[in-house]
Amino acid sequence: MKKSIEQAFNDHLNAEFFSSYLYLSMANYFAAQNLEGMAAWMRVQLEEERMHAMKFVDFINDRAGRVVLQQINQPTIEWASPLAAFQDAYNHECLISGKINTLVDLANKENDHAAHNFLQWFVSEQVEEEATAQRIVEQLKRVGDNPVGLMIIDQQLGSRTASAPADAAE
Ligand code: FEO
């Protein structure tokens, strides 16, 4: 694989590991708030992010590139409210979508069809990632400070289970 793609993919797998770290941090925040359902939802999410990172690891290895693990930045550890945390998650997913789009542009520029094809899964995945986070943000906005509403959302989110790798889009 071309060095430019290898470098960009290495940078991106770091961003996916950071996503996993960020959601672990959110899981801990929710646990501290006694919102166990939201904490459980974040724990499923962090495993999906780890799976995203591993897809890049596998692709680089399959293409005879070299994976170079980089330092993972420290994530935020406190949020003002559950809404603020999920808003942050939504913003983060938009950031990741932008990075994926930039990778697609690079794959096109380098005429790397395999990389382009590989990235299409992530293009679709990011549509789901953004939509899911946004839905939860809207639900949290609707309930506002109502503790019963918050409890109901917490229970609903706690029912999330890990998806199969092929459709880990929720
Ligand atoms: Fe791996 Fe949530 O994007």
Side-chain angles (χ1 to χ4, degrees):
M1 70 194 306
K2 285 195 176 152
K3 282 287 163 203
S4 58
I5 301 269
E6 182 186 83
Q7 178 67 53
F9 274 35
N10 268 300
D11 289 346
H12 191 80
L13 74 88
N14 180 270
E16 296 286 354
F17 275 126
F18 174 79
S19 302
S20 185
Y21 226 38
L22 175 64
Y23 296 137
L24 174 56
S25 189
M26 288 183 182
N28 295 331
Y29 161 74
F30 287 125
Q33 301 288 315
N34 295 314
L35 291 165
E36 296 301 333
M38 295 187 192
W41 190 95
M42 284 294 172
R43 289 181 77 112
V44 174
Q45 185 65 23
L46 77 89
E47 289 300 340
E48 285 201 1
E49 299 300 351
R50 201 183 61 81
M51 181 268 286
H52 294 171
M54 292 307 293
K55 277 178 176 275
F56 278 88
V57 168
D58 289 343
F59 184 81
I60 294 170
N61 284 330
D62 286 348
R63 300 284 305 284
R66 192 72 178 90
V67 172
V68 181
L69 297 178
Q70 304 166 22
Q71 185 169 342
I72 302 169
N73 290 334
Q74 182 180 21
T76 303
I77 57 169
E78 287 293 347
W79 286 268
S81 64
L83 172 59
F86 273 98
Q87 184 75 59
D88 217 5
Y90 171 69
N91 291 341
H92 182 69
E93 289 306 328
C94 293
L95 184 86
I96 294 292
S97 298
K99 287 180 182 291
I100 293 289
N101 290 340
T102 302
L103 291 180
V104 174
D105 290 344
L106 179 66
N108 286 339
K109 181 170 153 267
E110 299 288 13
N111 214 17
D112 188 333
H113 296 279
H116 178 91
N117 190 48
F118 167 80
L119 289 166
Q120 294 313 299
W121 185 89
F122 285 90
V123 171
S124 303
E125 172 73 356
Q126 282 311 120
V127 173
E128 283 303 316
E129 294 275 84
E130 285 184 30
T132 304
Q134 191 169 27
R135 260 196 304 273
I136 299 169
V137 165
E138 292 307 319
Q139 286 173 354
L140 287 169
K141 278 185 185 167
R142 209 171 304 136
V143 301
D145 292 330
N146 182 332
V148 177
L150 196 62
M151 202 176 72
I152 291 169
I153 293 177
D154 187 56
Q155 280 176 354
Q156 282 174 348
L157 293 180
S159 67
R160 181 186 188 188
T161 54
S163 318
D167 65 346
E170 285 182 54

